[in-house]
Amino acid sequence: MTSTSSSPVTETILNFIDGSYRKGSEGKSFPNVNPATGTAIGVVHEASQADVADAVAAAKAALTGPWGKMTTAERVKLIAAVATEIERRADDFLAAEVADTGKPRHVASHIDIPRGAANFRMFADVVSTMPGESFNTSTPDGGQALNYTVRKPKGVVAVVCPWNFPLLLMTWKVGPALACGNTVVVKPSEETPRTAALLGEVMNAVGMPKGVYNVVHGFGPGSAGEFLTSNPDVDAITFTGETGTGQAIMQKAAIGVRDISFELGGKNPAIVFADADLDKAVEGLSRSVFLNTGQVCLGTERVYVERPIFDAFVARMAAAAQGFKPGVTGDRAYLGPLISAEHREKVLGYYRRAVEDGATVVTGGGVPEISGAEAGGFFVEPTLWIDVAHGDTVMREEIFGPCCGIVPFDSEDEVIALANDTVYGLCASIWTENMSRGHRVAAAMDVGVCWVNSWFLRDLRTAFGGSGHSGIGREGGVHSLEFYTEITNICVKL
Ligand SMILES: NC(=O)C1=CN([C@@H]2O[C@H](COP(=O)(O)OP(=O)(O)OC[C@H]3O[C@@H](n4cnc5c(N)ncnc54)[C@H](O)[C@@H]3O)[C@@H](O)[C@H]2O)C=CC1
Ligand SMILES: O=C(O)/C=C/C=C(\O)C(=O)O
């Protein structure tokens, strides 16, 4: 990405290494495709192994340069300036994110871009107010010792990102990493390279020292992702994406015993009790199934509904689903495309599989008829299934599309067992007007995050992450400090 243009849509997208934009040293590039039209709209310069090594070396050197010598107050001021600059350039970030993902502008302008800024501002606050820990300790000779901790940055952090909320998920990691004094090398998804590249301009504009923030473009295996995660000068790896990719990265992290933080896939359940406020439940769950065209790790793909309201709920959800309009850009009800032709093929494979396994399609189930510029986009219909069995593939595997299976249940114990019977453990939502039940069932969910009568309601200070195949570790607020800092305990004999 050039540092001067304000029209990112047609730009060449470059790596950002040691404060400068660079082509890949091996001359390789790949197209950047707009998923809403299926057309190439840019060229991304792929980083070679040598480029990735340069980025890591720049990040390592920056740790002992002006960045490493800053006080916390100076560092936090710079981080807050990054947030302000993202806000000032919100239109550029919005254009870049919409071009890469095809998502509705109102989604990117209300979720992706503001969170990009908030992730820096919140972690600047957390680090400024970070308390230390101390203990007075009795010693064997009848005296006293004082134990206290100091936190230090871990070093060079590799940040490997997905394509569904590119700026949001990248800054969710870069914000705390920098606030804690680390340096980063970011590997954005090959599908969505623009906002990570654009953030380099922001870093230079606020005076971030060179080498603190670096971006390398490319793919996973045999490309920038693998080059980065296997570089021995990377001290820690934070990753959001597919569970299988997490396993591959974990193997690389084992060499050199590097720390990892993983936020992986999910097969998130929702439980709707008969006493739920149906309006609230349908509004919340249609958002959780269809927002971002279902490409949300927190999205709901299994809905359990208490039998007395099952038919009414299904009818209301079908009406809500039909309100999402794939391909109708500019309409408030616009349902964006899936990220790529390949991902659409994967989702359509699940659509076919559901029917083969005996599901009844309540609505959707295929590819919408679209004319005009969006005819080549990677759209699918919002889809709901009933008559799905617990063991069906579409009820067990993460699909990452705008679809879910809806299943009736008869008792609280039964539904808790069904909801928890998965290898994943990212999130759940419970819908009931009986708050004792809400608290009780929420606590029984084997997940990292459980919402009651809401979904994706985020307070950035809270612990965020998943258990089982959904991840390792928690980020958010002070929890991020556990991953992005190393503690030295100092024991002073008094
Ligand atoms: N937040 C989530 O839970 C997400 C889940 N997914 C799921 O994952 C599926 C595949 O999507 P992808 O974009 O291919 O996800 P992915 O997990 O393969 O890719 C995420 C990031 O990891 C990088 N990567 C891939 N393999 C790597 C390796 N061996 N070493 C280092 N880096 C590597 C990619 O280049 C990208 O930057 C989707 O169909 C969807 O079901 C995708 C994105 C986000
Ligand atoms: O709010 C967040 O921090 C994260 C939201 C979404 C995801 O993590 C995801 O879809 O991967």
Side-chain angles (χ1 to χ4, degrees), residues 115 164-165 168-169 172 240 263 296-298 456 458 464:
R115 265 294 296 279
N164 50 336
F165 290 101
L168 184 161
L169 290 172
W172 177 241
T240 300
E263 200 243 291
V296 186
C297 66
L298 306 168
F456 205 172
R458 295 279 283 116
F464 184 83

Side-chain angles (χ1 to χ4, degrees), residues 223-263:
S223 182
E226 185 177 347
F227 301 152
L228 178 60
T229 51
S230 49
N231 187 302
D233 285 330
V234 164
D235 299 295
I237 304 169
T238 178
F239 168 70
T240 300
E242 211 224 341
T243 302
T245 310
Q247 286 173 357
I249 292 178
M250 204 165 171
Q251 287 177 341
K252 300 291 177 196
I255 303 163
V257 199
R258 277 94 52 78
D259 203 358
I260 49 167
S261 175
F262 284 174
E263 200 243 291

